[in-house]
Amino acid sequence: MEQGSFTGYKRAHKTRTSVMVGEKVMRGVITVGGIGVIAAVSLVFVFLASVVIPLFRGTSFEPAAVYSLDRNASNAHTYMAVDEFMIAGLVSDDDGRGLRHIRLDSGENIGYFNIFDRTPSAVSYTPSDGWLTAGFDDGSTAIGQVVFETDFYELTDPRMASLSDLEVGEVALFEGNVAQRTDVGQIRVQRPVITMSEPISAGGSSSIELIDKTITSSGPIIATVSEDGRLRVNTVSERRNILTGVVTTTLSGGKIDLTDNFAVHPDPAAVLVNAIGTNIFMVWKDGYYTRLDVRDLENIEIVESGQLLEDDSAAEITKVTFLLGQGTLLVGDSLGRVRTWFLARTPETETPDTLSLVNAAEFEGPVAVTSIASSSRKRLISVGYADGTVASFYVTSSALLGRMNVFDGSSVEGIVIAPKNDAVIGISLNTLGIFSLKASHPEATSSSIFGEIWYEGNSEPKHSWQSSSGTDTFEPKYGLVPLIFGTLKATFYSLLFGIPIALLAAIYTSEFLDPKLRGRIKPAVEMMASLPSVVLGFLAGLVFAPFVEN
C-alpha cells in the first residue's frame, strides 16, 4: 500500500529535477562558504597571534666587545657620538678639548679632531641631534654640532678599487673614515662632521660651571650658571655679511642672581632647559632644586623650589639629564637610584602656572650613578655606575632590560645608546665596552597593558590607551582596560535597545505581518543573519551612514 502524507492526501506533484540540482548546488556552495568563513577566521587568529606574541618576547642585553682606548683617563667632560650603523665613534679627550675618532669594530684610534684651543669648564652634548655647547673660564660659550654623515659609493667607482674585495658587512678604512660594504653592493662611508662657533661672551666674565641648551623653532636657547652664582639665559642669533659672507653669532637674553641659593646649597649639579625653552631646572647635589619661568628673559622668575631627594640626607645627586622629549628629569644619586620627575597638576599645587614636579618612577642600582643616557627613539635609558655596572631600563613600564659589568670595577664615565637602540656603549677610564641590546617592544608588559601607569604629565597613575601621536617624543599608552570596558559598555547599551526592538519585530513578523510581505522579509532577514557582523558594520559605515547623513 502506498504511504500517504500525514493529512491523508497523496502528493499531487513531483519535484522538478532542476530544483533538486539547484538544492544540491546551493548546499555545496553554502558548505564551501561556511568552511571558507571558518578558515578565514582561523587565519585572522593566526595573523593576530603572529603580531601579538613577539610583543612579549624577552629582551637580550649582552656584552658584544671590550676595547682598550688610547685616551686621557682624567677626562672631566666625557661624551660620545656613534653613527647609526655602529661602525664609527667619536670620544671626548683632553678634558673636552678634542675628539678621538675610533672604529667600533676594533676600538682602533684613526684620528683626532681638535675642537677648542683650551679646556672648557662646562660641556653639554645631546647625542640625539648632535648639538654641543661648551662654556669657558672667561664666561664665554660656544655652540655647534658633532654628527656623522653618510656617503655612498658604487663599487665601479675608481676610488673604491682597494675596497672591492670587502665582504658584505665587512669594515675597512677609506680616506681616514670608516667604510662598510652594504648588502646591495655599495660602499657606505661614515664621515664625522664637526661645526663649532667661535667662543661668544654670554654677558659675564666669571667662569661657567654649568651649561645646557635647547633648540627651538626660533633658534637655540643657552642657559649657563657661572661661578658668581648667576644664571644667564640667552638666545642665539646669526647674521651673515652679504659682502664678505662672514657669519656673526651673538647672544642676547637675561639673568637672575642665585647667590642666596648658593649660600645654602654650595654644590650645583645641573642646569637643564626644557624642550620649548619656557622652563629651566636648577639642581644642587644635596637634592634642592628651583624651577624658573624664562618666557620673559627680561623678567626671569623662580616659580617652584623643592627637594628631589625627599629629605634623604644620606644621598647626594650625582647625575641629572633629560628623558626623550626633554619633559622628564632623570635624577641619579649616590645610592644607585634613578628617579623620574616631571611637571603635573596635583591638588597640592600652589605654583603660578599650577604645575609642580612629581616623582613617578624609581630604578634601583648597586652603587652610585655616574652616567645616564636616554634613547633618541623610545623612553629607554641606560645607566652607568661607579663599580662599572651598566644597566638598561624602560621608563614607561619600569622594566629592567638587562644589567652587565665588563669594566672590572672601574667607574663608567660616559654612556650612550646607539641611534637604532640596538646597542649601548660605555666608557670607563681607557676602556670602551659595547653591549648588544635587543628590546623590540619593552613597553609591552603585563603591568603596562592591564595595570595603572603613571604617564608623563599626569597627576597620578591611570589606565590609558593612546597608541600614536603626531610627535616623535610621544609616550605610547597601551592600556587595554579602557578598550575592554569600552567594548563591554557599548555592547551593554546596544543590547539594552536592540533586544526589545528585535523581539517585538520578530513577534510582529511572525504573527501579524501579511503573509506575502512576510515571505519577502523573512528570507532577507535570514540572509543578513548569515553575514558576519563586521561586513554589516562595514556597509553601515561606508554606504548607509552617508546616505542617512545626506
Side-chain angles (χ1 to χ4, degrees):
M1 180 178 178
E2 185 178 356
Q3 185 177 357
S5 66
F6 71 92
T7 59
Y9 293 99
K10 293 183 178 179
R11 190 170 182 178
H13 63 276
K14 182 180 180 181
T15 304
R16 289 179 296 177
T17 304
S18 60
V19 174
M20 297 178 65
V21 171
E23 182 180 358
K24 292 182 178 180
V25 171
M26 291 306 299
R27 183 179 299 171
V29 170
I30 293 173
T31 301
V32 172
I35 295 174
V37 170
I38 295 173
V41 173
S42 300
L43 289 175
V44 169
F45 173 79
V46 172
F47 171 74
L48 292 176
S50 67
V51 173
V52 172
I53 290 175
L55 295 178
F56 298 95
R57 288 177 180 169
T59 60
S60 172
F61 188 69
E62 301 174 349
V66 180
Y67 304 118
S68 295
L69 294 179
D70 180 15
R71 168 177 169 269
N72 184 355
S74 62
N75 196 335
H77 306 291
T78 300
Y79 59 95
M80 184 175 183
V82 296
D83 76 292
E84 62 177 317
F85 303 103
M86 284 295 296
I87 60 175
L90 292 168
V91 182
S92 61
D93 201 0
D94 295 331
D95 286 335
R97 285 181 293 169
L99 292 169
R100 293 282 180 186
H101 190 193
I102 63 173
R103 290 176 55 165
L104 293 182
D105 64 323
S106 64
E108 175 189 355
N109 283 330
I110 57 177
Y112 179 84
F113 297 93
N114 186 57
I115 304 179
F116 308 113
D117 58 2
R118 50 185 164 152
T119 300
S121 56
V123 172
S124 172
Y125 178 69
T126 310
S128 59
D129 53 21
W131 282 98
L132 172 66
T133 313
F136 301 95
D137 289 339
D138 61 357
S140 61
T141 62
I143 185 170
Q145 274 190 299
V146 177
V147 296
F148 281 94
E149 292 187 356
T150 305
D151 297 324
F152 290 94
Y153 298 90
E154 299 295 334
L155 288 176
T156 55
D157 192 318
R159 293 172 293 178
M160 296 294 107
S162 61
L163 304 179
S164 59
D165 295 333
L166 285 180
E167 299 292 335
V168 173
E170 191 176 354
V171 175
L173 293 181
F174 172 71
E175 296 181 352
N177 298 315
V178 186
Q180 183 181 43
R181 181 167 179 173
T182 69
D183 54 3
V184 295
Q186 292 179 316
I187 300 297
R188 178 175 55 218
V189 178
Q190 296 302 123
R191 178 169 47 86
V193 177
I194 303 170
T195 56
M196 291 298 303
S197 70
E198 292 295 326
I200 316 159
S201 174
S205 58
S206 182
S207 175
I208 292 177
E209 292 190 357
L210 302 171
I211 191 169
D212 193 34
K213 80 289 176 189
T214 188
I215 309 301
T216 67
S217 57
S218 58
I221 297 176
I222 300 176
T224 62
V225 176
S226 54
E227 198 174 30
D228 59 4
R230 285 176 171 78
L231 168 68
R232 292 177 173 84
V233 185
N234 294 289
T235 58
V236 181
S237 59
E238 294 183 347
R239 288 186 178 182
R240 181 182 297 274
N241 190 309
I242 60 175
L243 298 178
T244 63
V246 176
V247 177
T248 303
T249 304
T250 58
L251 299 179
S252 59
K255 63 181 179 179
I256 184 173
D257 191 343
L258 298 177
T259 52
D260 291 341
N261 299 83
F262 275 86
V264 182
H265 315 281
D267 298 321
V271 62
L272 296 161
V273 189
N274 71 340
I276 57 178
T278 57
N279 280 272
I280 288 180
F281 302 89
M282 181 67 205
V283 182
W284 282 265
K285 291 184 178 180
D286 61 2
Y288 184 76
Y289 78 92
T290 59
R291 178 168 65 91
L292 302 101
D293 184 343
V294 295
R295 287 175 293 181
D296 182 2
L297 294 181
E298 295 182 357
N299 186 27
I300 301 175
E301 295 181 338
I302 296 177
V303 294
E304 181 187 6
S305 298
Q307 179 60 245
L308 298 177
L309 293 178
E310 299 175 341
D311 299 327
D312 191 344
S313 59
E316 182 180 83
I317 288 181
T318 55
K319 192 68 178 179
V320 186
T321 188
F322 270 127
L323 184 64
L324 172 68
Q326 293 177 250
T328 296
L329 295 176
L330 300 171
V331 181
D333 62 35
S334 57
L335 299 182
R337 302 171 300 187
V338 176
R339 291 172 171 174
T340 63
W341 295 81
F342 53 72
L343 292 175
R345 289 179 173 86
T346 64
E348 299 82 15
T349 301
E350 297 180 355
T351 59
D353 56 2
T354 70
L355 295 172
S356 64
L357 280 180
V358 294
N359 175 211
E362 180 177 318
F363 305 94
E364 297 289 341
V367 293
V369 174
T370 55
S371 55
I372 304 175
S374 175
S375 166
S376 59
R377 296 189 178 191
K378 294 185 175 182
R379 293 182 174 261
L380 171 72
I381 65 171
S382 288
V383 184
Y385 299 91
D387 65 349
T389 299
V390 173
S392 288
F393 303 93
Y394 196 78
V395 172
T396 300
S397 59
S398 298
L400 171 64
L401 306 182
R403 180 179 284 140
M404 192 71 56
N405 191 331
V406 299
F407 294 113
D408 297 327
S410 299
S411 176
V412 180
E413 295 181 4
I415 194 168
V416 66
I417 300 175
K420 293 183 178 180
N421 291 340
D422 55 356
V424 176
I425 304 92
I427 308 169
S428 176
L429 295 178
N430 289 329
T431 304
L432 181 139
I434 300 177
F435 303 84
S436 173
L437 176 62
K438 295 180 181 179
S440 301
H441 303 283
E443 64 277 8
T445 64
S446 57
S447 60
S448 65
I449 291 176
F450 298 106
E452 293 184 337
I453 300 296
W454 202 339
Y455 296 104
E456 183 178 283
N458 291 343
S459 58
E460 60 184 7
K462 62 185 298 186
H463 295 288
S464 183
W465 168 268
Q466 187 180 0
S467 60
S468 61
S469 181
T471 64
D472 295 334
T473 60
F474 169 72
E475 182 176 20
K477 305 171 180 63
Y478 295 127
L480 290 184
V481 172
L483 298 184
I484 294 172
F485 276 92
T487 301
L488 294 176
K489 186 167 62 175
T491 303
F492 171 76
Y493 286 112
S494 297
L495 293 176
L496 186 64
F497 290 97
I499 290 177
I501 294 174
L503 289 176
L504 292 174
I507 293 172
Y508 176 78
T509 303
S510 174
E511 302 298 331
F512 301 103
L513 192 63
D514 182 84
K516 292 183 179 180
L517 193 57
R518 183 194 310 147
R520 297 178 181 179
I521 292 178
K522 188 172 182 292
V525 172
E526 292 175 347
M527 182 64 70
M528 291 179 63
S530 67
L531 295 175
S533 59
V534 173
V535 175
L536 297 179
F538 180 80
L539 293 174
L542 296 185
V543 178
F544 298 111
F547 175 77
V548 173
E549 180 184 9
N550 295 328

